[in-house]
């Protein structure tokens, strides 16, 4: 163990995801088990800058494992993107006696953690908390499984009306740069297609889908679509507009699932994943690890350098694309 670690700070940052509370609970209880003090930092990096600190005990995390969202609250914090903001954050940490940080969040949050660790000599352990599943080096992120289940439940309902009206429904899900939610919810809901960013440059995914639909003489369809890119290309409305112009024989409708994908109680899988990862975060600190993200590979906990987790692209398994294409006959 790095001898000087007597107190850790824990925060959640970026978008909330189901299972974050289970992770906070696991980190807190494992730290207390090892006589390490825990300070809960509210509202992510903003709370570090504004000194929103709470002393956490084991009972602070009682009755939280089943709750969605994050009891620590989360935020997107512009000030932390500046050297000045990070300097204030560091001064506040030192003043509060925080020797190490546990950051639960997505790609942006862990990029911020990496920057912070580079500038100041602080051990940081990241936990992948995002519904997008877009962090390299881990098979799953905390919240992804719950969001997937929520999406599938919604798509099942939309299918009833799609079938009754011979319509094409474009259902937009989160994941601007990663198609895991769209691809896997398409498979799990028996949808006809998924339009994902990973395949954006390979083919015209809309033309391909219409062509396959024609061959199969299908009149109604569900297509899962990842959010639009920052330049506005992609997303459910973009494709519905294209259908109106290029294939006017079809009646296209749009459903944006939006924030309801993030909410709700975490699945059993996410609770277990978050518990294992939270426990592993403290174990890693005790081993002297720093600046790593806890991941899971083939059901084994792994340590991934944060620099790799945020920089490398996590590819979609091509088999998933083939499976959807074959099964949507
Ligand atoms: P989600 O996957 O749910 O979107 P995220 O962690 O990727 O979550 P972001 O909004 O990208 O969410 O990032 C959260 C916060 O992390 C930002 O508001 C900012 O405070 C911090 N952050 C992101 N990128 C950087 C960076 N390059 N330098 C410093 N801080 C950063």
């Amino acid at each position: 163990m790095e001898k000087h670690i007597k107190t850790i700070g824990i925060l959640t940052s970026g978008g909330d995801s189901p299972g974050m509370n289970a992770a906070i609970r696991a980190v807190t209880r494992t730290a207390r088990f090892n006589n390490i003090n825990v300070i809960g930092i509210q509202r992510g990096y903003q709370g570090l800058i504004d000194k929103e600190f709470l002393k956490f005990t084991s009972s602070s995390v009682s009755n939280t494992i089943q709750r969605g969202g994050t009891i620590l609250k989360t935020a997107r914090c512009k000030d932390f993107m500046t050297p000045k903001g990070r300097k204030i954050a560091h001064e506040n940490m030192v003043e509060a006696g925080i020797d190490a940080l546990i950051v639960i969040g997505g790609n942006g949050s862990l990029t911020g953690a990496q920057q912070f660790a580079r500038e100041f000599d602080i051990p940081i352990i990241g936990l992948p908390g995002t519904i997008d599943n877009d962090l390299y080096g881990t098979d799953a992120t905390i919240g992804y499984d719950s969001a997937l289940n929520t999406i599938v439940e919604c798509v099942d309902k939309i299918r009833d009306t799609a079938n009754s009206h011979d319509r094409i429904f474009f259902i937009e899900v989160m994941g601007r740069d990663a198609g895991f939610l769209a691809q896997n919810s398409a498979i799990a809901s028996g949808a006809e297609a998924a339009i994902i960013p990973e395949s954006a440059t390979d083919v015209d995914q809309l033309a391909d889908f219409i062509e396959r639909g024609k061959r199969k003489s299908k009149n109604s369809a569900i297509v899962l679509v990842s959010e639009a890119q920052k330049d506005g290309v992609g997303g459910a409305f973009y494709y519905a507009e294209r259908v109106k112009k290029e294939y006017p024989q079809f009646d296209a409708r749009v459903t944006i699932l939006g924030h309801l994908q993030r909410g709700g109680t975490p699945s059993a899988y996410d609770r277990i994943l978050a518990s294992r990862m939270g426990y592993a975060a403290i174990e890693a600190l005790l081993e002297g690890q720093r600046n790593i993200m806890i991941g899971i590979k083939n059901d084994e906990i792994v340590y991934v350098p944060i620099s790799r987790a945020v920089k490398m692209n996590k590819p979609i398994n091509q088999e998933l694309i083939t499976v959807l294409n074959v099964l949507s006959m």
Side-chain angles (χ1 to χ4, degrees):
M1 172 181 178
E2 302 211 17
K3 286 245 162 36
H4 58 283
I5 297 178
K6 293 203 180 78
T7 302
I8 58 157
I10 177 168
L11 60 84
T12 49
S13 165
D16 61 302
S17 68
M20 279 183 163
N21 288 328
I24 296 166
R25 172 180 178 270
V27 166
T28 304
R29 297 239 162 121
T30 311
R32 291 307 302 131
F33 180 81
N34 288 287
N35 287 320
I36 298 171
N37 298 317
V38 180
I39 293 182
I41 301 158
Q42 291 192 291
R43 295 180 180 77
Y45 294 124
Q46 193 63 53
L48 206 48
I49 291 172
D50 297 340
K51 294 200 226 181
E52 288 191 77
F53 299 153
L54 299 170
K55 187 167 188 269
F56 259 36
T57 61
S58 273
S59 60
S60 308
V61 290
S62 296
N63 195 24
T64 59
I65 197 168
Q66 78 283 14
R67 286 165 59 188
T70 158
I71 55 167
L72 282 173
K73 311 255 186 195
T74 182
R76 306 205 194 256
C77 171
K78 284 215 175 97
D79 291 345
F80 198 74
M81 314 273 273
T82 67
K84 189 174 162 219
R86 291 192 294 273
K87 184 165 174 282
I88 296 171
H90 181 246
E91 284 163 5
N92 292 343
M93 263 185 73
V94 172
E95 190 187 288
I98 298 172
D99 307 308
L101 260 192
I102 310 287
V103 173
I104 309 172
N107 201 294
S109 304
L110 296 187
T111 303
Q114 189 198 9
Q115 184 62 28
F116 199 40
R118 219 181 257 154
E119 288 167 352
F120 304 96
D121 187 27
I122 318 154
I124 300 185
I125 307 289
L127 295 187
T130 169
I131 64 168
D132 295 343
N133 198 28
D134 59 349
L135 285 159
Y136 180 85
T138 185
D139 291 340
T141 57
I142 297 165
Y144 168 65
D145 181 69
S146 306
L148 200 54
N149 280 293
T150 301
I151 293 167
V152 170
E153 206 177 300
C154 295
V155 176
D156 288 347
K157 293 191 170 130
I158 294 167
R159 181 174 286 286
D160 291 344
T161 187
N163 281 344
S164 309
H165 287 280
D166 284 351
R167 283 173 178 161
I168 298 177
F169 265 88
F170 290 98
I171 303 176
E172 184 174 305
V173 298
M174 287 186 175
R176 175 162 290 127
D177 302 308
F180 295 97
L181 284 174
Q183 187 67 35
N184 280 321
S185 59
I187 293 175
S189 61
E192 277 62 35
I195 297 185
I196 58 172
E198 287 84 346
S199 304
T201 51
D202 304 348
V203 278
D204 181 342
Q205 295 177 85
L206 179 66
D208 183 53
F209 152 68
I210 299 276
E211 194 44 48
R212 280 190 290 117
K214 259 194 221 150
R215 283 203 302 272
K216 294 165 187 170
S217 4
K218 283 199 173 189
N219 296 325
S220 76
I222 300 272
V223 182
L224 271 296
V225 185
S226 301
E227 286 169 284
Q229 295 296 305
K230 289 208 171 94
D231 60 8
V233 173
F237 279 112
Y238 170 85
Y239 286 106
E241 277 306 308
R242 276 194 57 191
V243 167
K244 246 188 233 164
K245 283 191 199 127
E246 298 168 35
Y247 308 97
Q249 69 273 32
F250 294 111
D251 184 12
R253 298 297 161 105
V254 167
T255 301
I256 312 274
L257 294 185
H259 283 92
L260 74 77
Q261 294 163 81
R262 286 193 193 282
T265 60
S267 65
Y269 179 86
D270 274 331
R271 296 181 200 195
I272 295 165
L273 180 70
S275 300
R276 290 179 70 186
M277 287 183 163
Y279 170 83
I282 298 300
E283 287 287 303
L285 270 184
L286 293 171
E287 287 167 17
Q289 296 285 341
R290 44 167 58 210
N291 312 333
I292 52 148
M293 179 192 83
I294 305 294
I296 191 146
K297 276 269 162 199
N298 302 322
D299 204 35
E300 297 283 342
I301 290 289
V302 291
Y303 299 159
V304 188
I306 293 183
S307 52
R308 284 175 72 77
V310 297
K311 283 244 170 61
M312 309 272 292
N313 282 336
K314 182 167 162 185
I316 283 255
N317 185 343
Q318 284 300 310
E319 182 202 328
L320 296 172
I321 294 170
T322 309
V323 165
L324 177 61
N325 286 347
V326 171
L327 302 191
S328 61
M329 291 176 83

